[in-house]
Structures are given as structure tokens and as C-alpha cells.
Amino acid sequence: MSDFELEPWLRTRRAEIGTILAARLVPPAEDPGRLVEAMRYSLLAPGKRLRPLLVLAAAEAVGREPDEPLRLAAAAVELVHCYSLIHDDLPDMDDDDFRRGQPTNHKVFGEATAILAGDALLTLAFEWLAEAGASAMAATGDPLVAQRHLRAVTALAKGAGMSGMVRGQARDLGEPRPESLQAVERLAAEKTGALFRAALEVGSVLADAGPAQEEALVRFGEHYGVAFQHADDLVDEDHVTTQTEARLRLHVLMQAALDALSLFDRRAEPLRALARRLVDG
Ligand code: GRG
């Protein structure tokens, strides 16, 4: 039995991420069209910061304690997530009025600014990831560090874009509601899971995980992502599958995520605890 406690770990890591987000996206002296205000409005609202936490937890599992470049890379994943929320809430997408406990971005700033705020968050994510690579390179002088950051850029771009999250959104909007469990989980893997998968990949690549470790962490991310969607559907009472089926799959996938971590020692406890929390709430 491990004596790891998730709550203090979450508090520390969330504070680290929150500090980077607030300090790096400062209100400029001049803010045409209230663009940065709109970006800060959604980004600094209270989110769970799960995706950057998973980046840090994946790196920790292979023995890397967070430093400034790693935290910046983790924060970049949160920027992508925040963009997806702003765009997902737009009238032509999910048409939502509230997000993170406040009116949605377009309700406050208008649709055009909300679109631009999302666009700017998405592009800023890649700027931060590149900057993380440059400062890690400068600190170590190791060319392999640059190579690892290029792999992280690829992982995030693929997870976010046309073979991941955006593809899932396109499927969701363009196809009838899925009925079979297989179709429900394929949609969840793309729309929700791809960014979680990318978070695990970014963390493991930047921590220089070995091939078997990286494969295991990515597998954890895949199971976690689909389990997360089942958990979210259960909370929202959004019954794409029956409640019983969703609950069963949530348990099965959480266990599969834990099994994927079998080759890791206690340093993977944050990941294990995050997976268990999906079921325990
Ligand atoms: C790419 C245009 C475009 C849209 C992206 C995947 C997606 C489409 C949007 C995400 C919106 C959404 C409601 C996805 C389902 C998964 C989900 C519940 C996300 C919310 O994530 P949390 O709970 O949010 O981690 P916080 O606010 O805590 O970060």
C-alpha cells in the first residue's frame, strides 16, 4: 500500500501551472479587440488543469522532477485544451452558455473575439513548446533535448489536430450520434482522448522515457482519455451508452490504465492516483 497523497501533490502542481499561465499571459499595455483579455478570461478561470498535470505526472513516473521548461511545456497543453473549450462552446458547435463557472467566452466578448482568442491560444501553445525546447537546450547544451522537443511538438499537433481532437469534433458534428459502444468509444478516443494521449506522450518524451516506458505511458493516456469521457457522461447524465455500461467501461478502462503502469515504481503514484480518482470522483 502506498502512502502517496494526491491532494498535496495536486495543490503544488496546480499552483505551478497556474503561476506560469498568469505570469506568461500578461495583459498588454494595448489590447486591440480585447483579445488578450478574452484569452485570460477563459484560461485563468478555475479549470482542473488535468492535462498539464498528466504531463508532469508522466515525467515524474520516469524520474524527472519538473523544472521551468517542463512546466512551460505542460502549460502549453493547457492552452490547447482551453482553446478547444472556447471553440466547442460557440453557437455553431455545442452552443453553451457557461463554462468553468462563468459565462462562456463568446457570451462575454462576442463570437468573433472568442474565435480569435481560441486561435491565439492554440498558436501560443506551440510558441511555448518551442520556447521550452530552446531554454532546455540552452541549459543543457544537449542536441538530443531539441530533438525531444520536436517530438513533443509533433505529439501535441497530432493529438490536437486533424488526426485527433479536431477530427473527433468533425465526426461528432457531421455524423449521427453513435450507438454501439465501439462507436461511442472511438469518438471519445478522438475528441477527448487524443489530447490526454498527447499529454502523456509529451511528458514521457520530454523526460526521455525509454521505448517500453513511453509505450506504457501512451497506453495509459489512451485508456484514461476514454474513461474520462465515460466519467463525464455519467456526471452529465448524457447517456450515449446505458449508465450501467458506462460505469462498467469506466472501471474496466481505469483498471487497464493502471495495468499499463505495471513496470513503474512508486514514482508513478501520481498517475495511479489520478486514474483512481476518475472512478472515485
Ligand atoms: C477543436 C473546435 C474544436 C473543438 C474541440 C474536444 C472538443 C472539441 C472540445 C472539448 C469540449 C468538451 C466538452 C469535451 C468533452 C471533454 C470534456 C468534458 C472536457 C472538459 O474537460 P475538463 O473537465 O475541463 O478537464 P476543465 O475546465 O476542468 O479544464
Side-chain angles (χ1 to χ4, degrees):
M1 203 53 193
S2 157
D3 58 0
F4 173 77
E5 283 187 46
L6 183 60
E7 283 311 320
W9 185 92
L10 283 176
R11 262 196 306 279
T12 306
R13 297 292 181 245
R14 271 197 188 120
E16 289 170 355
I17 294 297
T19 301
I20 291 218
L21 296 176
R24 291 235 157 207
L25 190 60
V26 286
E30 197 207 355
D31 188 18
R34 301 173 75 200
L35 175 68
V36 179
E37 190 186 339
M39 293 163 76
R40 284 173 58 88
Y41 174 80
S42 292
L43 187 65
L44 304 183
K48 294 183 288 300
R49 312 294 185 215
L50 269 179
R51 293 142 192 90
L53 290 171
L54 286 164
V55 173
L56 299 177
E60 198 169 323
V62 289
R64 172 143 176 217
E65 284 298 314
D67 55 14
E68 207 51 22
L70 184 67
R71 284 193 281 260
L72 187 56
V77 181
E78 180 69 12
L79 294 185
V80 174
H81 169 57
C82 184
Y83 126 80
S84 80
L85 298 178
I86 294 174
H87 280 197
D88 190 59
D89 290 335
L90 287 165
D92 272 353
M93 301 247 181
D94 254 19
D95 195 10
D96 277 318
D97 293 345
F98 284 93
R99 168 75 64 187
R100 292 184 161 174
Q102 60 184 20
T104 44
N105 200 288
H106 65 273
K107 287 276 167 196
V108 177
F109 296 93
E111 285 177 43
T113 301
I115 292 169
L116 292 174
D119 292 342
L121 287 165
L122 175 61
T123 44
L124 186 62
F126 290 94
E127 190 180 318
W128 284 7
L129 202 43
E131 191 184 327
S135 57
M137 253 300 280
T140 60
D142 179 357
L144 291 177
V145 167
Q147 214 177 69
R148 288 203 277 278
H149 281 80
L150 280 178
R151 287 192 56 210
V153 166
T154 307
L156 185 57
K158 283 192 170 163
M162 67 181 205
S163 46
M165 183 173 67
V166 174
R167 178 185 167 93
Q169 183 76 345
R171 188 189 299 286
D172 199 15
L173 295 173
E175 289 180 3
R177 202 170 161 85
E179 282 181 7
S180 70
L181 177 65
Q182 194 189 21
V184 166
E185 291 196 347
R186 180 179 62 171
L187 179 62
E190 290 175 347
K191 186 175 154 172
T192 310
L195 195 58
F196 282 114
R197 182 191 193 280
L200 272 291
E201 197 173 348
V202 167
S204 67
V205 164
L206 295 185
D208 197 18
Q213 289 178 321
E214 187 181 318
E215 208 249 359
L217 290 169
V218 166
R219 205 150 16 94
F220 173 93
E222 288 170 353
H223 294 314
Y224 182 98
V226 178
F228 176 91
Q229 188 61 64
H230 281 305
D232 190 65
D233 291 344
L234 282 166
V235 170
D236 284 356
E237 300 191 342
D238 185 5
H239 307 311
V240 275
T241 56
T242 66
Q243 281 228 37
T244 314
E245 197 171 32
R247 225 171 260 121
L248 179 70
R249 287 299 293 161
L250 174 56
H251 276 88
V252 168
L253 289 163
M254 191 272 285
Q255 190 54 52
L258 292 178
D259 291 347
L261 299 179
S262 61
L263 56 95
F264 292 93
D265 62 17
R266 58 173 184 74
R267 289 175 296 185
E269 283 306 302
L271 281 180
R272 293 189 183 100
L274 284 165
R276 288 193 191 101
R277 182 175 254 232
L278 280 177
V279 172
D280 303 338

